[in-house]
Amino acid sequence: MILPTKRHSLSHIMAQAVKQNFPNCKIATGPDTDNWFYYDFDFGEVEFSDKDLKKVEKSMKKIVSQGQDFKSFEVDFETARKILDKMWEWFKNELVDKIESWDFKNKEKLSDKISFYYNISKWKSSEYYEGMQNFIAENNFAEFSELDWDQIKNLKFIDMCTGPHVESTKELDTNSFKLARVAGAYWLWNAENKQLTRIYAYAYDNKEELDKYLKFLEEAKKRDHRILWAKLKLFTISDLIGPGLPLMQPAGMVIRQELENYLWKLHSKVGYERVWTPHLAKESLYETSGHAGHYLDDMFKVFGGTSKETFFLKPMNCPHHMQLFADNQFSYRDMPVRYFEPATVYRDEKSGQLSGLTRVRAITQDDGHLFCRIGQIKDEVKVITDIIKEFYTTMWMTKDYWVSLSVRWEDKTKYLWTDENWEKAEKALEDASKENNLPYKRIEWEAAFYGPKLDFMFKDAIGREWQLATIQCDFNLPERFDLSFTNENNEQERPVVIHRAISGSLERWMWVLIEHFAWVFPLWLAPRQVIVVPVMPKFDKYAEKVMQDLKDDWIRTKWDFSTDWLNKKIRMAEKMHNNYILVIWEEEENNNSVAVRNYKTKEQSSEKLEDFKNRIVKEINEKSL
Ligand SMILES: [Zn+2]
Ligand SMILES: [Zn+2]
């Protein structure tokens, strides 16, 4: 049986188990999701706490091991209501009304029957269900539902549901699920309705799969960038400034600056040029670019003080870059033209969704646009692909990645530009993918109306997939901004624009990196590379000299000259994730050496200061892990 069906069946078993322990609780609904299943309950005045989870889980295991059968029957609406009334399940009764009412019916013609399913097993019934059994017997349910007395005798649970379910709990593994947590949830997702108690649980095919998932969760939780950012002082979210607007603290800025420098280095050697564009523009820019319509709702408006003009904070850099190109009279000899600008753009994300760096309103893209001839797309894509490969190899993410090549759908009428150019562009992207040995998949209908694209999906250290780099061909913006260059025949030719981003956004990328490296950054990215710890004030002078010596080689070094005990100093240094802790005693001072503790590997060594310096300069330059 497939996993969603198992999860779904387990949600009913959870409901049965809860009913055994809390006979007066009312059941609502309980679907399965990607990794979970849940069920919503109304416990009335009774409090359901985390420790009740254990009890319910135990009852569920018992139910599963009993080998209960899942059976179903259908009745008309009236009978359905009678059954639910008798069971005091008023949430379910409301669902019957919903199903019968027009808003459900209008969408799709639903059947005029209501499906129930029930569990039976020969094991002794609980008291609660004896009443249920008598009711069913008295009302002659057997007539509608093919129930016979034998089955009624063994009835364990009834729920309203169309399934599908497993045939028997024998198909389930008693150790394949785990109750996770309790949360509040509104009946029918409406905040005006009653708040119910939702019990979440994980389920997999077997214990091994479940354990694998639990381990992954544990690892992901440990790495969660929202846990340590305050302690490590990487960035700050200020209520006064507003949600979704993280401020970079000096330590966070180090990481960000190193990333930006590295990205620029990779681009500058292959012909990109730095540009800068302002953060605002008039509405007319977005009318020309075509973003004005629905996009304006997500844009921040700025009202001029003296000019009384209205501006918009830019939600992307492309229209600005089009203006840079437009102000030149390029010839075919100048093509391709490549602009690079890590720039902050602003989008009004709903504040409910903003937390840490997961969703922000100020997004810094490592943006760039290149303008080229249709015949140059392939070579340019290769150049960008090389950058992407180098960048992600440095990050240790290229072991298992894939690339999505988004192309047109069969219906070719809704796309811009000519078929001929589309075919050329799609072929250029595909050829470049082949020549660069990219593990790509062609995905039809994924392409935007303005051109085909490549999206790169990388996995982090615990196997989570992230869509990061992108290369997108665009026939639309050059058309809208009427861009052209002079070709060999002295005619005006329209260029193609390629939007490209390597990390996507620096904020999101920092979040990915923090969790990927689990807070211990490779030395070249580490905000705190070295801390010098003199054991006693009398070694302060040498400690200061060591610090200055390292700083002279641009190694980020601090020293702890407090009068705390050595152990406390080391603990503090480790707490702030300093990559190298240098302890200074008399011996070090006399030998011009340092006692080195490597935070990550926990190794300790004694080295000449000069040797240590050369070693870590090499580690930084090689960007080793
Ligand atoms: Zn069901
Ligand atoms: Zn763009």
Side-chain angles (χ1 to χ4, degrees), residues 316-319 321-322 365 367-369 474 477 497-500:
M316 75 279 290
N317 302 302
C318 337
H321 287 188
M322 300 302 123
Q365 298 172 325
D367 212 353
H369 292 91
D474 186 345
L477 286 181
V497 164
I498 299 181
H499 309 260
R500 26 85 31 251

Side-chain angles (χ1 to χ4, degrees), residues 321-331 334 337 339 483-486 492:
H321 287 188
M322 300 302 123
Q323 291 307 288
L324 288 173
F325 184 92
D327 191 33
N328 289 277
Q329 284 77 47
F330 288 121
S331 88
D334 301 310
V337 172
Y339 298 143
L483 302 184
S484 64
F485 60 92
T486 316
Q492 291 303 300

Side-chain angles (χ1 to χ4, degrees), residues 194-239:
K194 194 169 180 138
Q195 196 175 27
L196 307 173
T197 303
R198 175 170 297 176
I199 306 179
Y200 282 105
Y202 314 110
Y204 281 85
D205 281 320
N206 50 48
K207 186 175 187 311
E208 203 187 351
E209 293 289 314
L210 174 72
D211 286 347
K212 214 165 85 188
Y213 183 69
L214 293 177
K215 217 177 139 207
F216 161 79
L217 280 183
E218 206 179 293
E219 197 47 46
K221 200 172 148 191
K222 261 193 282 181
R223 289 163 183 258
D224 189 332
H225 78 284
R226 287 164 300 190
I227 298 176
L228 282 181
W229 60 265
K231 198 181 85 187
L232 291 184
K233 276 279 171 287
L234 295 185
F235 58 93
T236 290
I237 309 254
S238 149
D239 280 344

Side-chain angles (χ1 to χ4, degrees), residues 77 81 90-108 110 114 160 187-190 193:
F77 285 85
R81 288 198 179 90
W90 47 72
F91 293 107
K92 296 278 176 188
N93 232 330
E94 212 180 311
L95 280 185
V96 175
D97 293 345
K98 283 260 169 212
I99 293 168
E100 206 181 27
S101 76
W102 64 272
D103 56 339
F104 266 68
K105 264 193 181 162
N106 268 9
K107 276 181 195 149
E108 210 178 306
L110 290 160
I114 294 284
M160 197 178 95
W187 168 236
L188 300 176
W189 300 278
N190 186 342
N193 287 343

Side-chain angles (χ1 to χ4, degrees), residues 129-142:
Y129 288 105
E130 270 164 32
M132 197 55 242
Q133 290 157 12
N134 290 336
F135 166 76
I136 287 169
E138 280 160 21
N139 287 280
N140 203 15
F141 266 54

